[in-house]
Amino acid sequence: MKICVLNGNPEPSDFDEYVAQFSVRATEKGHSVKVLQLRDMDIKYCVGCFGCWIKTPGECVAKDDSAKVCRTVVHSDLLICASPVKMGQVSALMKKTLDKLIPLVLPYFTVREGEIHHPQRYEYTRDLAVLLQRDGADEEDFAIIEQSFRRLCINFDSSFRFLKLTDEPVEEVVDALTAA
Amino acid sequence: MHLLLLNGSPKGESGNSNYLLQLLKEGVDQIPGHTQEFANLVRVKEHRHYVELFQQADAVVMAFPLYTDMMPGIVKAFIEELEPLCGREGNPALGFIIQSGFPESVHLRALEAYLEKLTRRLGCRYVGTALRGGGGSVRSMPSFMVKELVENVHALGRSLGETGEFDRELVTRFSKDETLPLPRLWFIGTLGDRMARAFFWHREMKKNGAYERRVARPYAEPPEGW
């Protein structure tokens, strides 16, 4: 399985070591893992200009590393959003990167799961999972984060796979990759 | 009451959030004795200063659109700047106006839950969250089409000025359709979508010479090594 891990850790910490360990163990199990260290990339804020829909379809008009993020996400079987919890949600670094995935959908409307959503630009979709470092967050926070990412899954026509915490041994996360 | 109105639209003052906050301000102004001030979160370098304004206010209302099912990146960046204020004595009351281009309110409920929790995390009194779908172009609609919206936001502002919170009945009225009944869902997903394509999206694409590439897949080639 091709796995794209977006590491939204804004400052170097043990979290990066956990993500690196995950990458090693998952590779040993035969997966192909690409970790994108978002804090080392030049990712500009989405300014809501619609340019990726009406000027340069499928690409952000601001030339930055979000192009690399988009290309890797498009070709992954599983996207893992990995981040320490900051004020009850994934980091601002992760959030600004997620905003830049909008080129992967079309501006039009379609009906999915009884609601209005955007059609996908690419014919293939991927599963989505969340890996979090607790950082003072509680069960209510995790439930809200999962709820947000389950919504995101409907929009990207993805299946939600799991939400895991770095409290658990890294093997648990690797095992979750193949769990039904 | 001194009210701080924080515009969290990535489009800055040209977005719908600013329009909604201006309407809210007009409503609050109908009740004497309040002062109000605006700040635009799109000015990310000013966030530290805005944290000071936040501390000085009696009440804060943040307005922003739904971006990938959560708050926009600039809003999350500001929320992280508020972390030192968690549990501090004398934090302002906090409320939100959130909106989405999708016609249903259901898209906004996870974000609403987050914002209610955020308010508790900061130890702020909760003004409430007014949420609304179908907000894509309210700013540019003819006045008869937004009459009800204008009246509702004015009323929200008055309730904030009178009681210090959003009237719950108004919040319910504001949020309109949780999901759409089948006939409307079908209409928006088919004919409505075709009309939006013809009268807006495709026109805009043609203006930019991008119509032929409208469903382009610039990342069809995998990254190196995949």
Side-chain angles (χ1 to χ4, degrees):
Chain A
M1 180 162 56
K2 290 172 186 164
I3 303 171
C4 169
V5 182
L6 299 181
N7 184 347
N9 187 10
E11 302 286 339
S13 75
D14 294 350
F15 184 76
D16 299 334
E17 183 54 33
Y18 190 97
V19 171
Q21 278 295 315
F22 166 79
S23 177
V24 168
R25 299 293 165 84
T27 305
E28 284 169 5
K29 294 273 182 185
H31 302 291
S32 176
V33 185
K34 283 191 189 292
V35 178
L36 300 182
Q37 188 71 268
L38 301 180
R39 66 169 181 270
D40 295 336
M41 301 174 81
D42 170 32
I43 295 169
K44 296 183 172 69
Y45 284 106
C46 172
V47 297
C49 71
F50 288 158
C52 62
W53 285 344
I54 61 172
K55 285 185 181 155
T56 54
E59 288 176 280
C60 183
V61 293
K63 296 294 168 229
D64 64 11
D65 291 335
S66 68
K68 187 178 178 187
V69 174
C70 284
R71 189 183 297 278
T72 311
V73 168
V74 163
H75 291 277
S76 62
D77 301 307
L78 175 68
L79 167 64
I80 301 182
C81 295
S83 172
V85 179
K86 301 277 179 197
M87 292 293 275
Q89 187 49 281
V90 293
S91 67
L93 175 63
M94 174 65 75
K95 187 66 231 324
K96 84 167 173 183
T97 307
L98 293 176
D99 293 350
K100 302 279 281 203
L101 295 180
I102 282 301
L104 304 191
V105 299
L106 297 170
Y108 314 135
F109 277 170
T110 188
V111 177
R112 198 179 301 131
E113 299 195 16
E115 300 165 4
I116 297 292
H117 291 276
H118 294 296
Q120 306 302 306
R121 184 175 292 277
Y122 295 86
E123 69 261 78
Y124 24 85
T125 61
R126 62 220 63 81
D127 292 349
L128 198 149
V130 184
L131 175 64
L132 302 172
Q133 181 172 284
R134 184 177 288 274
D135 283 5
D138 60 27
E139 295 310 312
E140 186 185 20
D141 295 316
F142 301 134
I144 290 170
I145 295 170
E146 179 168 334
Q147 195 188 350
S148 315
F149 277 88
R150 282 185 181 276
R151 295 293 318 169
L152 191 63
C153 280
I154 309 177
N155 265 316
F156 284 108
D157 206 10
S158 303
S159 297
F160 184 85
R161 288 294 296 279
F162 58 80
L163 181 150
K164 289 281 185 189
L165 302 178
T166 57
D167 297 4
E168 297 179 63
V170 75
E171 287 76 12
E172 300 270 330
V173 185
V174 176
D175 288 347
L177 296 174
T178 44
Chain B
M1 165 179 81
H2 180 66
L3 176 64
L4 174 64
L5 299 164
L6 288 176
N7 172 19
S9 169
K11 294 181 189 174
E13 289 181 354
S14 68
N16 292 309
S17 299
N18 187 48
Y19 172 75
L20 294 171
L21 283 178
Q22 296 290 346
L23 293 177
L24 187 80
K25 178 185 184 292
E26 290 169 11
V28 174
D29 277 339
Q30 291 173 19
I31 311 300
H34 302 304
T35 53
Q36 304 189 69
E37 130 183 68
F38 279 88
N40 289 300
L41 294 181
V42 73
R43 295 184 192 138
V44 178
K45 285 180 181 151
E46 297 291 316
H47 280 186
R48 290 269 165 88
H49 172 56
Y50 297 159
V51 172
E52 287 171 26
L53 298 183
F54 186 98
Q55 293 182 67
Q56 290 155 11
D58 299 306
V60 176
V61 175
M62 295 173 71
F64 50 90
L66 189 70
Y67 267 38
T68 56
D69 292 282
M70 299 167 221
M71 72 297 281
I74 53 165
V75 173
K76 184 66 195 341
F78 179 71
I79 289 171
E80 290 181 15
E81 291 289 339
L82 294 175
E83 188 167 7
L85 305 189
C86 283
R88 162 186 166 272
E89 284 285 313
N91 274 341
L94 186 54
F96 305 90
I97 301 178
I98 53 176
Q99 32 119 15
S100 142
F102 297 119
E104 313 98 330
S105 299
V106 64
H107 299 268
L108 291 150
R109 294 298 179 190
L111 178 56
E112 179 191 28
Y114 172 80
L115 296 172
E116 191 269 327
K117 174 71 190 266
L118 171 68
T119 307
R120 269 188 281 139
R121 170 175 264 116
L122 284 161
C124 296
R125 185 172 59 75
Y126 191 41
V127 168
T129 296
L131 60 86
R132 187 174 187 279
S137 52
V138 286
R139 198 171 30 88
S140 47
M141 283 179 183
S143 59
F144 74 92
M145 284 177 76
V146 291
K147 188 165 177 279
E148 190 189 346
L149 171 74
V150 170
E151 283 170 4
N152 282 340
V153 184
H154 280 165
L156 271 177
R158 281 195 302 274
S159 79
L160 176 60
E162 277 166 0
T163 68
E165 56 188 56
F166 291 155
D167 179 87
R168 291 216 180 146
E169 203 175 298
L170 283 171
V171 166
T172 306
R173 204 187 307 161
F174 188 70
S175 69
K176 295 202 299 186
D177 305 300
E178 191 64 22
T179 55
L180 298 180
L182 268 178
R184 275 191 64 202
L185 190 67
W186 176 83
F187 175 81
I188 294 176
T190 54
L191 288 174
D193 176 55
R194 297 287 150 179
M195 283 160 63
R197 288 181 195 212
F199 295 112
F200 183 69
W201 295 118
H202 291 171
R203 274 188 191 176
E204 293 295 312
M205 290 167 183
K206 282 171 187 165
K207 269 188 222 165
N208 298 310
Y211 177 72
E212 299 303 325
R213 289 177 287 122
R214 65 194 179 280
V215 292
R217 290 171 175 158
Y219 305 124
E221 287 301 311
E224 215 174 301
W226 270 12

